[in-house]
Amino acid sequence: MSSTVAKALTLLDHFSEEVPELGLSDLARRAGLEKATVHRMLSVMADAGLVEQRGTSRLYRLGPGVLRLARVREKVFPMSAALQPALQALVAETGETAHASLISGRALATIEVIESARASRVSLVAGQILPFHSTASGHAALAFAAPELRERVLGSALAAITPHTITDAGALRAQLAAVRQGGFAVCDQGNEEDVHGIAVPVFHGDGLAAGAIAVATPAHRMTEDLRRQIIVVLFREGAKATFAAGGAMPLPYRQAMEQTLREMGAAG
Amino acid sequence: MSSTVAKALTLLDHFSEEVPELGLSDLARRAGLEKATVHRMLSVMADAGLVEQRGTSRLYRLGPGVLRLARVREKVFPMSAALQPALQALVAETGETAHASLISGRALATIEVIESARASRVSLVAGQILPFHSTASGHAALAFAAPELRERVLGSALAAITPHTITDAGALRAQLAAVRQGGFAVCDQGNEEDVHGIAVPVFHGDGLAAGAIAVATPAHRMTEDLRRQIIVVLFREGAKATFAAGGAMPLPYRQAMEQTLREMGAAG
């Protein structure tokens, strides 16, 4: 039974700002499931308001039920609202594109993107599911997440998204240890050619990572100075967002942050 | 298989602003399911990010995955954003509490509430699932919804929420016909004692109701004048919200609206 519910819910992963509507055949193909099975699952999910099918195209899109759920969650545990000012500050101070993502069960979900105002900038799709192993946000979140999630990702197939993606579990494990040590994650073109990502974790009240905030820069523009500047702003805004969301930075993370700032000569 | 997925998704209905967190036993009791079954369902839904369990209390709450889904849906099909100004205008002009709800599969989900500034006012919980048969919003939405949904509600058990609730399918059918004729729905204490609701539908692009906007007034305060005033503002704001959401009012509805305005002596 669990696997049927799991498969049904996985259908939702295929909807993003880039792909807001999907036909039955297309969705079945993407999910690798029988059309008849997907149709039954979609009917049940439509009944619950999670998807809906409108107009003459018969395309499926996410349903109004998700608005109710988000409203309930955000009202009581405001996370989206806590991350918004962090992204605004990041874009204002670095001039680059900033985004926030949250650990959402087995996946990392981008929930907010603010793009740089520059003509040459990284353009990201909000609402996308990001791989943990090929993104700076994924590394930052995973390094400070519950050990079970970390081991699960390390034990799964690590696909080569670009020639730069870390595909070896041992190498990824070492990378995550380095992230824990420095308090930030850098991923140079691991998920997309010419995109350089830097990310820091945002924490829940229990001291485990809730997700990450990140700055994405065209790789050819990255310099040591810009990198240092981005890390300083990320540390400050990550701490503020954690605080605003009612979270708590664990002591080892605060120490890692201070150590990095000292090494960069930016500490106070 | 469908019934398992359906039961799992129904668990989400129990979360609202009033009940943002639930323990396993409590949720199993509310859902009328075995604890072990609910536990398995919650594990799968946690994996998909729809719920999460945090802190030492082990309570479940809605997960960050719902923020991603809402963000994707609202960005591409902005409905929440279209309804917000309507509610603001309703509260400003009538002085009473206004709310918006959307047909979400088999249910009617409140997605936004703006409360009156008066000390004596109707206080509503956003994120609640409303019954179709006992609320003005339910009547307004159902009267202009797809016939299948209407027949499904008419064919289900109509519980007496208050002594004023319509519990007879024939009477409800007649009531919905009256709503189609007048273009608005009035429900006097059908869902809560001393709460008088007036609602109008908001439409999708295909001319079927997407949901409703409504004004809820303490029943003892309702007068013919206030009722007329509320209907005029609801008609105007319902039309604007429909337009802003990319919807279309069907011709019979526009005619019903004009006829009502003429009868109330408020037409132009």
Side-chain angles (χ1 to χ4, degrees):
Chain A
M1 96 117 188
S2 302
S3 86
T4 309
V5 179
K7 276 179 197 155
L9 296 181
T10 304
L11 295 177
L12 299 174
D13 291 356
H14 297 280
F15 294 91
S16 71
E17 277 186 33
E18 207 169 28
V19 185
E21 293 185 299
L22 279 163
L24 177 59
S25 308
D26 193 4
L27 188 49
R29 195 180 44 69
R30 287 168 188 250
L33 293 169
E34 291 290 329
K35 237 171 100 167
T37 308
V38 172
H39 186 256
R40 276 199 308 275
M41 289 171 169
L42 287 171
S43 302
V44 175
M45 291 203 287
D47 212 42
L50 292 186
V51 299
E52 68 176 0
Q53 195 182 25
R54 294 223 70 84
T56 47
S57 68
R58 312 311 287 148
L59 293 176
Y60 288 89
R61 65 187 194 190
L62 294 171
V66 305
L67 302 178
R68 183 189 83 85
L69 296 173
R71 162 73 204 236
V72 169
R73 152 123 190 161
E74 188 66 15
K75 185 83 177 189
V76 186
F77 312 104
M79 180 56 96
S80 217
L83 293 169
Q84 193 71 31
L87 299 190
Q88 281 161 352
L90 285 165
V91 174
E93 295 184 45
T94 70
E96 303 292 347
T97 294
H99 62 108
S101 48
L102 293 176
I103 298 175
S104 171
R106 68 187 130 64
L108 186 68
T110 324
I111 63 153
E112 204 62 67
V113 175
I114 302 184
E115 290 201 3
S116 154
R118 296 182 176 211
S120 161
R121 66 181 179 227
V122 175
S123 197
L124 294 172
V125 180
Q128 234 179 353
I129 301 281
L130 293 177
F132 278 109
H133 74 290
S134 62
T135 60
S137 296
H139 294 178
L142 209 52
F144 298 95
E148 306 85 66
L149 178 63
R150 192 156 54 239
E151 292 310 318
R152 187 168 165 181
V153 173
L154 285 164
S156 67
L158 305 174
I161 319 261
T162 74
H164 308 278
T165 312
I166 299 178
T167 56
D168 175 71
L172 181 55
R173 193 183 292 278
Q175 175 74 10
L176 297 181
V179 170
R180 268 192 299 279
Q181 179 123 30
F184 65 94
V186 171
C187 191
D188 190 10
Q189 310 183 63
N191 198 52
E192 211 164 332
E193 301 268 3
D194 198 38
V195 174
H196 184 106
I198 308 181
V200 299
V202 173
F203 293 93
H204 277 301
D206 57 10
L208 290 172
I213 54 172
V215 173
T217 309
H220 65 268
R221 191 146 75 208
M222 187 47 64
T223 62
E224 257 320 295
D225 270 1
L226 181 56
R227 185 164 157 281
R228 201 175 299 120
Q229 187 205 345
I230 289 173
I231 292 170
V232 171
V233 187
L234 277 171
F235 276 160
R236 190 192 68 218
E237 294 302 323
K240 279 162 73 176
T242 291
F243 183 75
M249 292 192 295
L251 181 62
Y253 179 75
R254 289 209 304 273
Q255 290 169 335
M257 222 166 60
E258 280 158 24
Q259 176 67 20
T260 296
L261 287 171
R262 261 196 304 277
E263 283 169 14
M264 295 193 314
Chain B
M1 93 112 193
S2 301
S3 85
T4 310
V5 179
K7 277 178 196 154
L9 296 181
T10 304
L11 296 177
L12 299 174
D13 291 356
H14 298 279
F15 294 90
S16 71
E17 278 185 32
E18 208 169 27
V19 186
E21 293 185 298
L22 279 163
L24 177 59
S25 308
D26 193 5
L27 189 49
R29 195 180 43 72
R30 286 169 188 250
L33 294 170
E34 293 290 329
K35 235 169 101 168
T37 309
V38 172
H39 186 256
R40 277 199 306 276
M41 289 170 169
L42 287 172
S43 301
V44 174
M45 289 203 288
D47 213 44
L50 292 187
V51 299
E52 66 176 359
Q53 195 183 22
R54 295 223 70 84
T56 47
S57 68
R58 313 310 288 148
L59 293 175
Y60 288 90
R61 64 187 196 192
L62 295 170
V66 305
L67 301 178
R68 182 189 84 84
L69 297 173
R71 162 73 204 234
V72 168
R73 153 120 192 165
E74 188 66 16
K75 184 83 178 187
V76 185
F77 312 103
M79 179 57 95
S80 217
L83 294 169
Q84 192 70 31
L87 299 191
Q88 281 160 353
L90 285 166
V91 174
E93 294 185 46
T94 69
E96 302 292 348
T97 294
H99 62 108
S101 48
L102 293 176
I103 298 175
S104 173
R106 69 187 128 66
L108 187 67
T110 325
I111 62 154
E112 204 63 66
V113 175
I114 302 183
E115 290 199 4
S116 155
R118 293 181 177 212
S120 161
R121 66 181 179 227
V122 175
S123 198
L124 294 173
V125 179
Q128 234 178 353
I129 302 281
L130 293 177
F132 278 110
H133 74 289
S134 62
T135 59
S137 296
H139 294 177
L142 209 53
F144 297 96
E148 306 85 62
L149 177 64
R150 192 156 55 241
E151 291 310 318
R152 187 168 164 181
V153 173
L154 286 164
S156 66
L158 305 174
I161 319 261
T162 74
H164 308 278
T165 312
I166 299 177
T167 55
D168 176 71
L172 181 55
R173 193 183 291 279
Q175 175 74 9
L176 296 180
V179 171
R180 267 192 299 279
Q181 179 122 32
F184 67 95
V186 171
C187 190
D188 191 10
Q189 310 182 62
N191 198 53
E192 212 163 333
E193 302 269 1
D194 198 37
V195 174
H196 183 107
I198 309 180
V200 298
V202 172
F203 293 92
H204 278 300
D206 58 10
L208 290 171
I213 53 173
V215 173
T217 309
H220 65 268
R221 191 147 75 210
M222 187 47 63
T223 62
E224 257 319 296
D225 268 2
L226 180 56
R227 186 165 156 280
R228 200 176 299 122
Q229 188 204 346
I230 289 173
I231 292 170
V232 170
V233 186
L234 277 171
F235 276 159
R236 189 192 68 216
E237 293 302 323
K240 278 161 75 175
T242 292
F243 183 75
M249 292 192 295
L251 181 61
Y253 179 75
R254 289 207 306 274
Q255 290 169 336
M257 221 165 60
E258 280 158 24
Q259 176 67 20
T260 296
L261 287 171
R262 260 198 303 276
E263 282 169 14
M264 295 194 313

